[in-house]
Amino acid sequence: MTVLSRRDWLKTAAAGSALLAGASASHAQCTDPMPAKWDETFDVVVIGSGFAGLAAAIEARLAGASVCVLEKMRVHGGNSSINGGIMGVPGTPMQKKQGYEDSPELMAEDMIREGAGMNHPDKVLHMCREALPTWEWTVKELGVEWVQERVSQEGGHSVPRCAILKTGSGSEIVNKELKKLESLGVKPRLRTYLERIVRDGDGRVKGVKVREGYRFPDAASGKVKYICARKGVVLAHGGFGADVAFRKIQDPKLTEKIGTTCQPGATSECWREAARIGCHMIQTDWIQCAPWSAPQEKGMGIALFFAQGAAAMYGVWVEDKGGKRFVNELANRKVRSDAIMVYLNKGGHCYAVADAVGTKPMTVSRPGMLEKMLERKCVRKYETLETLAEGEKINLEGLKASIAEWNEAVKAGKDAHFGRYVNKHAKPMGQGPWYVSEMVPKVHHCMGGIYTNMQAQAMDIEGDRLIPGLYAAGEATGGVHGAVRLGSCAVTDCIVYGRIAGREVAKEKPWC
């Protein structure tokens, strides 16, 4: 693991102290009026129907608890359903098949290094150690289908370790989780908005106030109902990347001019509510932008699979005016997004470029995806490098020099310029046709959130005590990813700690 100098350590510690000082100063113990009557009663109420919420619901139900899952939108899954379809896991059969040496400790080292040491080490290492058993759970318990031929590599990972979903989308996991829940007699309720978490004068969370028949984004729509949670509430509501007003409070640079990969329902209501009842909110201004989205697409889009899965691994990223490589193509997302923004602010453009050989692995793991990209024109095809440079207005001589530089790195097994990881399966570029996509950063993931312990229990801002009856998992929480989340680690985080939250809340002694 990289050892920080004393000066670097002091800088990191000071940054952490500043963040904690700026954390929510909400009431330490919120006293909400208890309803005269609860309309319904369950052992466990789960807020959110993404990876984490559904995993929590499955485990709680398997442990014998009655479960209610609430989702404010018209469809299940939230951002999980549009997730890019990869999961960071050391030690899968696919990784071993390709001959990559890996371990949970190495994955934790990567996460903490790229997270600037702001990650909570115990949470990171536990997640990494549980990654393989959790991946096996998705296969054996849920029947999730993964690509068996290869793994991919996201920026910041020191080795390729990202398992790839056959469908190319997180909806594969969400749909299998929903099917499992249905077999257990649980059907998540859509269009049900969380208005209040009911925390009684004794400090315990005892239920929720919701609105059924909610019409996004009208917070006053729907019929009010009170649902009692005899054992506890699990918050798995995700991030707030689509909430421009709230994210600008956290980071003023993230204005309406910057798009988002998130679905429209990724808003701040539950974040505000968690703070209101006294949750300790940490690192909420660490908001990740994804570097690889195409300006032609709204939301996440699909061009990212080319920019990352082809060009970042086997091609080059260049800027238009000089045709030069401008960043380590496999650096973490913050490094790459910041580098692209430098050129955008100067009126320039940045492109991902790969040849036919470098694009082929993506077509194997994601059949039909290249054709969809070309149809949408978020990725464009050229027979020669010269026509590509002319068509995209990229400096041709600079582009040729960048490709030559990378080809030398492939032959030498080392990138002398940026220190980029050279995949042992990479081949020198030069075989047409050529493919290209433009890249713009978009708001993608919230690294901070509710401070939880190792049992996924939410902590109170006053004295860091437990909030009885309240659990949280996934993007709603902070502490795992630090300053930068590595691609593919969100899925691991959500399912590992979602399952923990479900198992632990089911053990609670009912309050009524």
Side-chain angles (χ1 to χ4, degrees), residues 187-491:
K187 185 176 181 180
R189 303 181 185 186
L190 302 176
R191 295 180 59 200
T192 306
Y193 172 82
L194 175 69
E195 186 170 285
R196 283 286 183 265
I197 300 167
V198 180
R199 188 177 184 191
D200 201 359
D202 60 6
R204 189 178 187 11
V205 167
K206 295 186 173 176
V208 294
K209 177 186 177 184
V210 302
R211 286 181 174 269
E212 286 190 338
Y214 165 72
R215 296 184 300 278
F216 176 81
D218 182 3
S221 61
K223 180 182 178 182
V224 171
K225 178 178 280 190
Y226 286 89
I227 303 177
C228 174
R230 297 173 68 243
K231 293 190 173 186
V233 172
V234 178
L235 297 178
H237 49 259
F240 55 82
D243 193 326
V244 175
F246 192 74
R247 78 190 194 202
K248 280 172 61 179
I249 294 171
Q250 312 300 323
D251 185 344
K253 298 187 300 297
L254 302 181
T255 68
E256 59 280 349
K257 294 181 180 179
I258 299 178
T260 180
T261 64
C262 301
Q263 53 93 18
T267 48
S268 65
E269 301 93 351
C270 287
W271 289 71
R272 296 174 186 271
E273 182 62 8
R276 183 191 72 83
I277 67 163
C279 285
H280 192 161
M281 309 295 286
I282 64 173
Q283 302 171 350
T284 55
D285 54 352
W286 285 93
I287 303 168
Q288 180 177 81
C289 287
W292 22 241
S293 293
Q296 295 85 0
E297 297 186 289
K298 292 183 178 179
M300 177 81 78
I302 59 175
L304 69 99
F305 299 123
F306 168 77
Q308 180 63 43
M313 291 184 68
Y314 307 110
V316 292
W317 287 14
V318 299
E319 46 80 26
D320 60 343
K321 290 182 170 47
K324 298 178 182 178
R325 293 176 64 207
F326 60 91
V327 72
N328 176 344
E329 291 90 341
L330 286 174
N332 70 52
R333 289 173 175 178
K334 177 172 174 53
V335 168
R336 292 182 291 168
S337 290
D338 288 351
I340 293 172
M341 285 184 183
V342 168
Y343 286 95
L344 293 180
N345 289 337
K346 294 178 180 179
H349 302 272
C350 295
Y351 295 88
V353 178
D355 68 352
V357 174
T359 304
K360 186 175 180 180
M362 181 199 72
T363 65
V364 172
S365 59
R366 300 182 186 275
M369 188 64 74
L370 181 59
E371 289 73 19
K372 289 181 182 178
M373 295 173 184
L374 295 172
E375 182 180 341
R376 294 186 187 182
K377 298 182 180 180
C378 57
V379 172
R380 294 167 291 282
K381 176 181 176 181
Y382 295 89
E383 293 303 320
T384 68
L385 198 60
E386 288 75 14
T387 54
L388 184 152
E390 182 181 359
E392 303 295 330
K393 296 181 173 54
I394 301 173
N395 182 295
L396 177 59
E397 295 309 311
L399 177 58
K400 286 181 176 179
S402 293
I403 291 171
E405 177 183 88
W406 176 242
N407 287 347
E408 284 300 314
V410 171
K411 293 174 185 176
K414 182 179 180 180
D415 177 18
H417 190 168
F418 289 109
R420 171 180 165 192
Y421 175 86
V422 180
N423 192 296
K424 63 183 180 180
H425 299 293
K427 295 185 178 356
M429 300 173 69
Q431 183 175 323
W434 296 80
Y435 300 90
V436 61
S437 69
E438 187 178 354
M439 298 176 293
V440 295
K442 293 181 182 179
V443 173
H444 186 58
H445 189 93
C446 300
M447 271 82 72
I450 300 167
Y451 174 41
T452 58
N453 65 9
M454 295 294 287
Q455 288 72 46
Q457 294 171 291
M459 308 298 286
D460 197 307
I461 184 67
E462 183 179 44
D464 297 327
R465 295 192 293 260
L466 298 177
I467 297 180
L470 188 64
Y471 293 75
E475 196 180 353
T477 66
V480 171
H481 304 291
V484 177
R485 177 180 71 79
L486 297 189
S488 78
C489 290
V491 180

Side-chain angles (χ1 to χ4, degrees), residues 22-186:
S24 167
S26 183
H27 293 19
Q29 191 174 99
C30 180
T31 303
D32 286 311
M34 295 288 284
K37 177 185 177 183
W38 295 99
D39 295 293
E40 289 186 90
T41 297
F42 294 87
D43 291 329
V44 176
V45 175
V46 177
I47 306 300
S49 67
F51 296 141
L54 296 178
I58 290 169
E59 291 291 1
R61 189 71 191 98
L62 287 172
S66 58
V67 178
C68 177
V69 180
L70 306 178
E71 167 60 55
K72 73 178 182 182
M73 302 303 282
R74 292 177 177 272
V75 294
H76 306 99
N79 282 340
S80 297
S81 286
I82 57 172
N83 168 277
I86 53 176
M87 178 177 179
V89 190
T92 60
M94 303 86 74
Q95 195 184 36
K96 291 178 179 178
K97 184 185 295 183
Q98 288 195 275
Y100 297 119
E101 294 290 332
D102 200 6
S103 69
E105 290 72 25
L106 180 58
M107 180 171 169
E109 179 181 327
D110 290 346
M111 291 179 66
I112 293 171
R113 180 190 63 249
E114 301 301 330
M118 290 171 56
N119 328 60
H120 293 202
D122 52 350
K123 289 184 180 178
V124 176
L125 186 55
H126 184 66
M127 186 200 85
C128 294
R129 287 174 173 166
E130 287 297 312
L132 182 58
T134 300
W135 176 82
E136 292 171 339
W137 178 81
T138 70
V139 176
K140 298 173 183 176
E141 189 74 33
L142 304 181
V144 172
E145 295 185 80
W146 301 88
V147 171
Q148 297 300 311
E149 294 78 16
R150 60 183 291 266
V151 289
S152 66
Q153 183 175 9
E154 280 281 318
H157 290 276
S158 59
V159 296
R161 63 164 67 96
C162 307
I164 307 167
L165 287 163
K166 274 193 174 182
T167 61
S169 166
S171 59
E172 162 72 4
I173 298 176
V174 169
N175 290 337
K176 294 294 172 63
E177 286 180 312
L178 288 169
K179 185 176 180 181
K180 180 66 178 181
L181 268 182
E182 184 179 357
S183 74
L184 296 171
V186 178

